[in-house]
Amino acid sequence: MDSSAVTSSSRFAWLPMLLPLLWALGCEDNNQAPTAANNPGSIVVVISVTGPDQDTNLKVLLNSSITRFSAGEDRILFTDLEAGNYRVSVENLRLNCSVDKIDPDVVSLEDSGQQTVEISVNCREAVLNQILFLRKENDQYNLYVMNADGTDQQKIAEDVDESSGYAVSPNGTQITFASDRDGDLEIFTTGPSGNNLAQLTDNSSDDFDPEFNSNGTRIAFVSERDGNREIYVMDNRGNDLRNLTNNAAADYAPRWNPAGSLLAFVSERRGNADIFTIKGDGTELENLTRHPEFDANPKWSPDGQKIAFETLREGNFEIFVMDLRGENLFNLTRNPGYDANPVWNPFGSRIAFESSRDGNFELYMMNANGSTQIRYTENAGSDLHPNWNPSGSNIAFTRNLQGNLEIFVITGDGRGQSNLSNNPDLDTHPQWSPFKQSGVLIGDQ
């Protein structure tokens, strides 16, 4: 081999190693090499929360992926951010709180820059993770609220109609109930501490059994103002009143579906009690049961795809379930005793109910398909009115202790019970208020 060729080849062997370095130096001269990651920016979020029952742990997100929690502080700092646009949002607010302002809601961040975002949140007084119940005092029922452990029992409304009950708005800021304090039953609302009492209906006939829709803006109720029982709806201030059913027969027991778009109710327009559905605007009336025997007390599954109800179609009270067309009908309980008042857990996987199959009314539990029916309580008196907490971990109910009614709680697995109200007056019809956070279910499914 030619020695000069070898020498020439060795002389240029270092060039491949040098070329990347030369390229990088050239890029640096042309301002191309530094990336945004080497020149990080930051965003400061300044938080203002006003009102009672404040949410002090806001979840703030940039582009729905970069997350920080305020943890009681009024500022959140996002650091090490690349240049670009960032959309600012807030999630998992307490149900009683709302975002009034995010300014700006889209931030344009440059290299090494810092931007400030202001977030304003307003919160309203609310009953959250508490238990409401009725207490009979001086021959009238008054509405009380207490903590989940039975402490701090406070009266928030007087002279509440026990037979038609009451309802809590989904965000816990309003309670609606019927009262005959003016001589006939009318619909009222009140705030969580008994403040802001308002009368929503005013006519010479009875209005009762109010029920909030899923966003708390509409209230369905039963009215006898037309000479028979009809289903009416109005907004939560008593305006925009509308008769949905407008039929000569009795219509009653309105229950909103979880989406707040459809009502299930009981109608006697065929000569017996059947379960119907109707849209919130009064259209698309459907008879689901179409049976000559008594069908009543419709209860929506949490996903809104099924309805459990009580029926006499097999000669005794049983709990059936059906789909939204009234099809796929199934007897869940199949027992000669009296089975009634089905209550779905928040996940739709189990149903609590009342049964007299062992001689007196006790609380029972079954899977949503009717399997594994278990007796949950054992009491010489009756145990009634089961009501799940929003996490599905506990059930509040009414217990008859030798003639005195008390509010008890039992764990969702039936292991532990305790007397919450513990008062010589009659306490009944417990109902859990919403949990503090939205969109979160915790507990055994």
Side-chain angles (χ1 to χ4, degrees):
M1 179 180 292
D2 188 349
S3 60
S4 63
V6 173
T7 303
S8 176
S9 175
S10 302
R11 185 183 308 163
F12 295 102
W14 49 268
L15 279 177
M17 294 182 288
L18 182 62
L19 285 175
L21 178 61
L22 293 173
W23 178 86
L25 290 173
C27 289
E28 185 175 4
D29 290 343
N30 291 320
N31 244 353
Q32 294 176 1
T35 65
N38 293 325
N39 294 274
S42 60
I43 295 176
V44 179
V45 179
V46 180
I47 300 170
S48 171
V49 182
T50 58
D53 295 323
Q54 294 184 2
D55 192 338
T56 58
N57 192 26
L58 303 186
K59 180 181 179 182
V60 180
L61 299 94
L62 302 183
N63 290 343
S64 301
S65 59
I66 307 172
T67 303
R68 299 283 189 280
F69 288 88
S70 63
E73 301 296 327
D74 59 4
R75 287 173 181 264
I76 299 176
L77 178 62
F78 291 86
T79 58
D80 299 323
L81 299 175
E82 296 182 357
N85 293 331
Y86 293 88
R87 181 171 293 279
V88 184
S89 60
V90 177
E91 287 187 358
N92 288 352
L93 276 173
R94 281 189 177 183
L95 293 167
N96 61 310
C97 301
S98 59
V99 177
D100 286 347
K101 178 181 72 173
I102 300 179
D103 185 25
D105 61 347
V106 177
V107 178
S108 295
L109 191 65
E110 298 179 353
D111 288 349
S112 305
Q114 184 177 86
Q115 295 285 353
T116 299
V117 176
E118 294 182 358
I119 295 179
S120 297
V121 173
N122 181 52
C123 300
R124 299 168 61 190
E125 185 183 17
V127 284
L128 299 170
N129 196 21
Q130 294 175 290
I131 300 174
L132 294 93
F133 62 99
L134 296 179
R135 172 170 289 167
K136 191 174 184 180
E137 300 170 311
N138 300 321
D139 294 325
Q140 72 176 24
Y141 283 92
N142 299 322
L143 182 61
Y144 275 73
V145 64
M146 62 182 168
N147 293 331
D149 61 1
T151 60
D152 196 20
Q153 299 179 22
Q154 301 289 332
K155 179 165 56 178
I156 59 177
E158 295 185 339
D159 195 14
V160 175
D161 181 53
E162 183 264 344
S163 63
S164 66
Y166 58 92
V168 186
S169 65
N171 64 3
T173 61
Q174 277 189 307
I175 301 100
T176 183
F177 60 93
S179 175
D180 63 356
R181 62 189 66 188
D182 294 328
D184 60 282
L185 289 173
E186 302 287 357
I187 306 297
F188 290 77
T189 57
T190 186
S193 60
N195 58 326
N196 301 322
L197 180 69
Q199 182 174 337
L200 302 191
T201 62
D202 187 9
N203 70 92
S204 58
S205 298
D206 287 339
D207 299 318
F208 54 96
D209 199 9
E211 173 99 354
F212 281 106
N213 69 347
S214 57
N215 63 17
T217 59
R218 307 286 289 171
I219 297 174
F221 64 100
V222 180
S223 180
E224 295 181 348
R225 65 186 66 196
D226 299 309
N228 66 303
R229 294 184 176 185
E230 300 279 10
I231 307 298
Y232 274 73
V233 294
M234 60 184 170
D235 66 25
N236 59 10
R237 297 177 181 270
N239 301 318
D240 193 20
L241 189 69
R242 179 180 300 180
N243 182 348
L244 293 189
T245 48
N246 199 19
N247 186 273
D251 300 308
Y252 50 94
R255 298 294 178 261
W256 291 99
N257 71 341
S261 59
L262 198 65
L263 281 158
F265 67 97
V266 179
S267 179
E268 297 179 1
R269 62 188 66 197
R270 296 177 66 251
N272 63 292
D274 272 316
I275 294 174
F276 283 69
T277 56
I278 193 170
K279 281 195 169 182
D281 61 3
T283 62
E284 298 188 21
L285 178 73
E286 296 287 345
N287 182 354
L288 300 188
T289 49
R290 302 180 294 275
H291 194 276
E293 289 295 341
F294 180 88
D295 299 314
N297 197 12
K299 299 289 185 68
W300 292 92
S301 63
D303 63 4
Q305 297 304 304
K306 296 179 181 179
I307 297 175
F309 63 99
E310 302 168 8
T311 181
L312 272 173
R313 61 182 64 200
E314 294 193 0
N316 62 299
F317 272 99
E318 300 276 11
I319 296 172
F320 276 60
V321 69
M322 61 183 169
D323 63 25
L324 301 191
R325 297 181 301 275
E327 299 173 354
N328 296 311
L329 200 67
F330 186 72
N331 183 349
L332 296 179
T333 46
R334 297 183 182 275
N335 189 277
Y338 191 120
D339 299 316
N341 195 18
V343 184
W344 301 82
N345 76 345
F347 309 98
S349 58
R350 293 191 291 170
I351 298 174
F353 63 100
E354 304 162 2
S355 179
S356 68
R357 62 184 65 183
D358 292 314
N360 67 308
F361 277 103
E362 302 284 356
L363 297 191
Y364 279 73
M365 186 71 63
M366 61 182 167
N367 294 327
N369 63 2
S371 64
T372 317
Q373 297 185 27
I374 301 172
R375 180 173 176 172
Y376 259 40
T377 62
E378 188 169 354
N379 176 40
S382 296
D383 291 328
L384 302 168
H385 314 136
N387 187 270
W388 291 91
N389 70 349
S391 72
S393 59
N394 291 298
I395 302 169
F397 64 97
T398 304
R399 166 160 287 178
N400 187 334
L401 291 175
Q402 297 179 338
N404 181 38
L405 302 183
E406 298 281 9
I407 305 302
F408 271 65
V409 68
I410 186 170
T411 56
D413 57 12
R415 293 178 182 175
Q417 309 178 31
S418 58
N419 185 346
L420 297 185
S421 54
N422 199 18
N423 188 279
D425 292 312
L426 302 182
D427 299 317
T428 184
H429 294 288
Q431 185 177 149
W432 290 86
S433 66
F435 265 13
K436 292 182 178 180
Q437 239 62 37
S438 62
V440 178
L441 288 177
I442 307 167
D444 178 22
Q445 299 188 32

